[in-house]
Amino acid sequence: MHKSTKPIPTQAIFCGRTAFYTRILRLYLARRAVSNLPQYEMITTQLAPIALFCYNRPLHLQETLEALRRNPLASQSELVVFADGPKDEADAILVREVRALLDGTQGFGHTKIKVAEHNQGLARSVIKGVSELLENHEKVIVLEDDMLCTTDFLDYMNSVLTVYQGRPDIFSVTGYTPPISLPAAYGEEVYLVPRASSWGWGTWRDRWRKADWQVEGFEKIRADSGFRNRMEAGGEDLWPMLVKQQRGQIDSWAIRWTYSQVQHQAYGLYPAKSKIKNIGTDGSGTNFTFKTAAYGQELVEGNLSLPPDLQPEPTVVEAFRRFYSLPWRVKLKNRIKHGI
């Protein structure tokens, strides 16, 4: 004999369903609230490793490390330092000072020091070092030994690497911006341009693997005025640099990285306010053998809004291009001496 069961009152059913849908609504609102928070609070638990390249400037390196250590995320981040070897005996003293400084490096979640016995040069060091890190990581943050950063630089970089990871049209992100005046009507706090930055930057494994380090298509694009125009949209200095690179007159990984970006019709993402300051424009570097303050001195703390659907704005691209316009004397020199 089966025991009869009383029907569940309609009110109880209603209350049960109400409680269920209330929980669903709360979950939805909570998720929506998180998505509307400043992007810095959306960092994944897997932080990008930091690659730091250095050579023979112990004082610059010390300042760079001190600034980086002041980031709250430094103690949770992996730092891999690539220390280049000396070119000659005169270099060897400073290189030893750099390595002695690195031996006492603290303040990071994990630190690896990779030293080169012989001088590789910055271009080879960066290409090799970044490629090595991206074998085991999906993304990377890259600094050189003359980059001061804000205390929220790592928060910002990890956030942009997370937010824009699914954007194949963005090849690189950076914490630096040149001192340009953005159009007053531009309302975003980050922007896209057809140029990669080599100052406090980051990228992803899949995009880095698309780089053409040999610039195998150079002979074809030399006669392609359309490609040259697309490249010079990121600055008039880019095409002459690429030509000099292919002639062996300079050795730059950055111009080849920008070339690869233009080749794939991709962009670099920049903040409207800089979180990176280059202290190597004091005449001490191998690229900046002269002193200049033209590339900006201001560092700005604070969260930036990161719209996932960010698009390039032509007026911003033009303002950026103008900053990298070449003086007529340089254009004349390139024409007469280099035939560019």
Side-chain angles (χ1 to χ4, degrees):
M1 185 175 178
H2 296 287
K3 195 182 263 186
S4 62
T5 56
K6 294 182 179 180
I8 301 175
T10 303
Q11 184 179 4
I13 295 175
F14 177 79
C15 290
R17 287 180 177 174
T18 300
F20 172 77
Y21 287 120
T22 298
R23 286 197 296 273
I24 295 296
L25 180 60
R26 283 175 178 168
L27 286 172
Y28 167 77
L29 291 175
R31 183 167 294 181
R32 184 177 178 185
V34 169
S35 68
N36 287 331
L37 285 173
Q39 298 290 354
Y40 292 9
E41 298 183 32
M42 297 178 64
I43 298 171
T44 60
T45 54
Q46 188 66 43
L47 298 176
I50 307 162
L52 174 58
F53 294 88
C54 61
Y55 173 37
N56 64 351
R57 294 185 290 180
L59 297 180
H60 291 73
L61 176 60
Q62 185 173 10
E63 286 190 65
T64 296
L65 285 169
E66 287 175 355
L68 191 56
R69 259 193 298 262
R70 286 194 286 269
N71 278 251
L73 286 181
S75 62
Q76 305 170 47
S77 300
E78 178 184 6
L79 174 68
V80 182
V81 183
F82 296 89
D84 206 357
K87 291 179 181 177
D88 49 41
E89 284 302 314
D91 264 347
I93 297 174
L94 289 173
V95 168
R96 283 196 294 269
E97 288 184 26
V98 164
R99 296 183 182 182
L101 173 64
L102 291 174
D103 284 341
T105 301
Q106 296 179 345
F108 299 92
H110 183 61
T111 303
K112 293 180 185 176
I113 311 295
K114 294 178 175 286
V115 298
E117 292 304 316
H118 306 287
N119 188 266
Q120 300 183 77
L122 182 60
R124 184 182 175 192
S125 296
V126 170
I127 294 170
K128 181 180 176 183
V130 172
S131 298
E132 180 181 316
L133 277 182
L134 288 175
E135 285 296 319
N136 299 309
H137 299 86
E138 290 288 338
K139 52 196 174 182
V140 66
I141 296 168
V142 186
L143 288 165
E144 293 174 24
D145 60 2
D146 53 4
M147 301 288 154
L148 297 188
C149 64
T150 58
T151 61
D152 62 353
F153 170 72
L154 292 180
D155 298 273
Y156 163 78
M157 290 298 292
N158 278 284
S159 293
V160 290
L161 285 169
T162 297
V163 172
Y164 298 104
Q165 185 163 2
R167 288 281 302 270
D169 61 324
I170 299 177
F171 259 40
S172 61
V173 298
T174 180
Y176 170 74
T177 188
I180 63 174
S181 297
L182 296 178
Y186 187 70
E188 305 295 352
E189 296 178 315
V190 289
Y191 62 90
L192 298 175
V193 290
R195 183 182 184 127
S197 173
S198 59
W199 295 358
W201 61 281
T203 191
W204 304 267
R205 178 197 295 165
D206 59 343
R207 270 138 281 193
W208 185 252
R209 286 180 173 175
K210 291 180 180 179
D212 175 9
W213 300 115
Q214 304 306 317
V215 194
E216 293 178 352
F218 181 68
E219 290 305 318
K220 182 179 179 180
I221 65 170
R222 284 183 70 176
D224 185 349
S225 59
F227 185 90
R228 176 171 178 169
N229 290 338
R230 290 199 304 275
M231 193 157 193
E232 290 189 341
E236 285 184 334
D237 57 331
L238 292 177
W239 181 254
M241 278 196 287
L242 184 63
V243 173
K244 292 173 185 178
Q245 170 66 38
Q246 292 310 103
R247 291 177 177 173
Q249 295 170 331
I250 63 172
D251 187 19
S252 168
W253 67 269
I255 188 59
R256 288 177 278 171
W257 180 224
T258 291
Y259 157 77
S260 299
Q261 179 174 286
V262 176
Q263 187 181 36
H264 288 87
Q265 299 183 38
Y267 299 92
L269 181 141
Y270 289 68
K273 302 293 185 181
S274 195
K275 296 186 177 298
I276 285 289
K277 173 183 173 182
N278 190 321
I279 57 172
T281 58
D282 57 357
S284 66
T286 54
N287 291 324
F288 280 95
T289 55
F290 55 91
K291 187 173 182 179
T292 178
Y295 293 92
Q297 300 295 310
E298 186 181 18
L299 288 173
V300 181
E301 302 271 353
N303 290 2
L304 300 179
S305 176
L306 307 176
D309 58 349
L310 182 71
Q311 297 299 317
E313 166 55 48
T315 57
V316 172
V317 174
E318 175 58 22
F320 187 93
R321 186 198 65 79
R322 284 198 304 269
F323 178 81
Y324 289 100
S325 294
L326 292 175
W328 69 267
R329 290 184 180 86
V330 175
K331 291 181 182 180
L332 187 62
K333 180 180 177 181
N334 282 336
R335 179 66 61 86
I336 296 173
K337 184 176 180 179
H338 303 289
I340 303 172

